[in-house]
Amino acid sequence: MYTVFAGGVGASRFLQGLVRAVPPEEVTVVSNTGDDAEMFGLHVSPDTDICVYALAGAVNPETGWGLAGDSFAVVDQLQRFGYPRWFNLGDRDLATAIHRTRLLREGWPLHRVVADLVRAWGLGCTILPMSDDPVRTRILGPDGEVAFQDYMVRLRTEVDLRGVEFAGATAARPAPGVLEAVAEAEVVILAPSNPIVSIGPILAVPGIREALAGARGIRTAISPIIAGQVVKGPAAKMLEALGHEVSALGVARVYRGLIDLMVVDEQDRALAPAVEQLGMACLVTDTMMTSDERKRELAEAVCARARSLGRG
Ligand code: GDP
C-alpha cells in the first residue's frame, strides 16, 4: 500500500506517474481540503478535483487544473448579476461543484462525496479528504487575514505574507480511513507539493502528524523546490516569508523528524550530504515531471528506494 499526502498540481503530476508504477488499487491519496471554499454558493475543492481530473486523464494540461477543453460561459454570465469574475470555474468543472454541493446539503460527509467522484470518474485508487470537517487556510497579510483563494487567485499572491493559519484545524478530525492509511502503508509519500499550504493543512489535522511520526512504513518526501526555485506557484515565496531556506534542504528541514527519505533533484545533488545529516536518507534523481514517462520513472525510483529502506 502507498499513501500519498497531496496538494494540487505538483501532487497530481506525481500521482499520474505513481498509478502507472504500482497497481492503482494500492494507492490511497490523502487530499488537502484547506483550499476548499464557497464560490457562487457552491462548495469547491480545488486540490481534490485537480487530483481526480489528473488521474482520470481529463485535466487541462496547460494549466494543470480544471478540465481540458472547458469553457467559462457560466462565470462570464454570472457577471451580469454582479458576481466577481476572478475565480475561474469552468462550465464542466461546475458540474462537479454542483454535485458535491448537493450531496453535502443532503448530509453526506465529504469523504463519501469524494468517493462518489472517484467512482464516477472510474479511478482505481482511493482518494480521502484529510478531514470531513472544514479546515480553511488563511493568509495573514499586512491588512489582516484573507481566505486562501483570495490570496492565490484574486490577489495573485501579491501580498506581503506574515503568516498562515488553518482555521478549524484544531477541532477537525481525520476523515475515516486516513489514520489507517498512514499507519498501515508500506510507503507514505509527501508529494512534491507546497509544504506550507498543501501538506501543512494535512499535518495540522490532529492525529495525522502523530500517525505519520509513528507510521511503520518508509516515509518519503519529494522536494517541490528544484535548484532553489519552484516549478510553479508561491511555495518559494512562502517558505522565504516564513523564515525557511528556499531549497530542497529547507524543505527537508520542514519535514525533519517526520520522514525517512528525502527525494531531491539531480540539480540539487550537492545538498544530499546536508540532507543526510538531518537523519534521513536522500535519493537524488530527476524530479522534473515533464512527460508521462518521467512521471512514472520518478514514482518507480521513489518506491524502489523506499522499499529498499523498508523495515521488513
Ligand atoms: P497547488 O495546490 O496546485 O499549488 O499544488 P501543489 O502544492 O501540489 O504543488 C505545487 C508545487 O509543485 C510547487 O511548489 C511546484 O514547484 C511543485 N511542482 C510542480 N511540478 C513539479 C515537478 O515536475 N517536479 C517537482 N519536483 N515539483 C513540481
Side-chain angles (χ1 to χ4, degrees):
M1 293 295 293
Y2 301 84
T3 296
V4 182
F5 287 15
V9 176
S12 66
R13 289 185 178 149
F14 177 74
L15 288 167
Q16 287 175 321
L18 185 63
V19 295
R20 287 173 180 86
V22 303
E25 308 75 52
E26 295 185 16
V27 174
T28 298
V29 180
V30 178
S31 178
N32 169 40
T33 56
D35 293 9
D36 284 22
E38 176 140 328
M39 293 286 165
F40 318 114
L42 300 171
H43 183 115
V44 295
S45 289
D47 277 0
T48 307
D49 288 351
I50 287 170
C51 292
V52 171
Y53 298 159
L55 287 162
V59 78
N60 180 337
E62 272 125 55
T63 55
W65 54 264
L67 287 157
D70 211 348
S71 50
F72 292 85
V74 174
V75 285
D76 283 344
Q77 185 66 12
L78 281 167
Q79 284 182 278
R80 180 177 294 279
F81 307 112
Y83 290 80
R85 179 61 183 83
W86 57 266
F87 194 73
N88 289 306
L89 195 55
D91 297 328
R92 292 167 58 219
D93 206 356
L94 261 167
T96 309
I98 291 169
H99 183 57
R100 173 185 289 112
T101 305
R102 199 205 95 207
L103 295 178
L104 289 171
R105 287 203 183 132
E106 284 178 8
W108 287 38
L110 187 59
H111 75 273
R112 275 192 63 205
V113 177
V114 175
D116 193 65
L117 300 179
V118 167
R119 178 201 56 76
W121 281 99
L123 306 185
C125 64
T126 300
I127 303 183
L128 302 171
M130 64 193 198
S131 179
D132 285 340
D133 304 316
V135 177
R136 297 291 174 266
T137 300
R138 299 200 194 288
I139 303 299
L140 309 180
D143 306 319
E145 273 191 2
V146 286
F148 184 72
Q149 297 302 338
D150 272 282
Y151 168 78
M152 269 302 282
V153 191
R154 184 172 65 82
L155 301 168
R156 296 193 190 90
T157 75
E158 284 157 14
V159 168
D160 194 8
L161 182 140
R162 306 255 166 98
V164 175
E165 271 182 16
F166 307 118
T170 47
R173 289 150 302 165
V178 169
L179 296 183
E180 294 80 354
V182 175
E184 288 159 21
E186 187 186 354
V187 183
V188 182
I189 301 166
L190 311 189
S193 287
N194 186 319
I196 309 294
V197 293
S198 290
I199 305 299
I202 302 176
L203 295 174
V205 176
I208 298 186
R209 179 183 283 271
E210 294 74 10
L212 184 63
R216 69 176 177 87
I218 294 301
R219 303 152 310 163
T220 306
I222 302 155
S223 177
I225 306 287
I226 300 178
Q229 292 183 332
V230 283
V231 180
K232 183 183 162 287
K237 202 192 269 200
M238 290 184 160
L239 284 166
E240 189 172 14
L242 298 176
H244 300 288
E245 182 179 307
V246 183
S247 71
L249 177 60
V251 176
R253 287 198 187 113
V254 172
Y255 294 144
R256 186 180 196 171
L258 287 176
I259 60 169
D260 308 296
L261 171 65
M262 182 74 199
V263 183
V264 308
D265 194 78
E266 295 278 8
Q267 295 178 57
D268 292 315
R269 180 174 289 280
L271 297 176
V275 169
E276 284 166 354
Q277 275 179 5
L278 297 174
M280 54 185 83
C282 185
L283 169 65
V284 181
T285 189
D286 181 1
T287 71
M288 197 68 105
M289 298 177 284
T290 44
S291 67
D292 285 346
E293 202 175 352
R294 288 171 84 173
K295 291 171 191 167
R296 182 179 48 76
E297 283 168 0
L298 173 61
E300 278 172 357
V302 170
C303 293
R305 184 61 188 274
R307 280 191 304 256
S308 80
L309 295 171
R311 291 163 194 167

